[in-house]
Amino acid sequence: QHTNNIFAPNTGTFTLEGNVTSSAEAEIWNELGQVVYTDVLHPSNGMLHHTITLNKTIAPGIYLLRLKTNTESQTMRFTISK
């Protein structure tokens, strides 16, 4: 597992894209360690294209997104700014 800071600051809506061979669990945590989003993402023809829209009342700050498949896990840090 490794952490990347790949997202530009956003307002709570962003799109995940990439090559994925199986479904992936997505979880987002806030700075307090509270889960604010969970979903199972399903690729189509080996490609993932999924837009995540968080609750409009979500606080600005740093969040962690973890994508987990049967074989790997990746955690990415991003910032929500309003």
Side-chain angles (χ1 to χ4, degrees), residues 7-26:
F7 294 116
N10 64 71
T11 60
T13 298
F14 53 92
T15 300
L16 300 174
E17 295 179 317
N19 298 326
V20 180
T21 57
S22 65
S23 297
E25 295 177 31

Side-chain angles (χ1 to χ4, degrees), residues 26-29 34-41 50-54 65:
E27 292 182 331
I28 297 176
W29 294 279
Q34 299 165 320
V35 175
V36 298
Y37 177 90
T38 60
D39 199 359
V40 176
L41 313 181
H50 185 85
T51 299
I52 293 176
T53 302
L54 300 174
L65 164 66

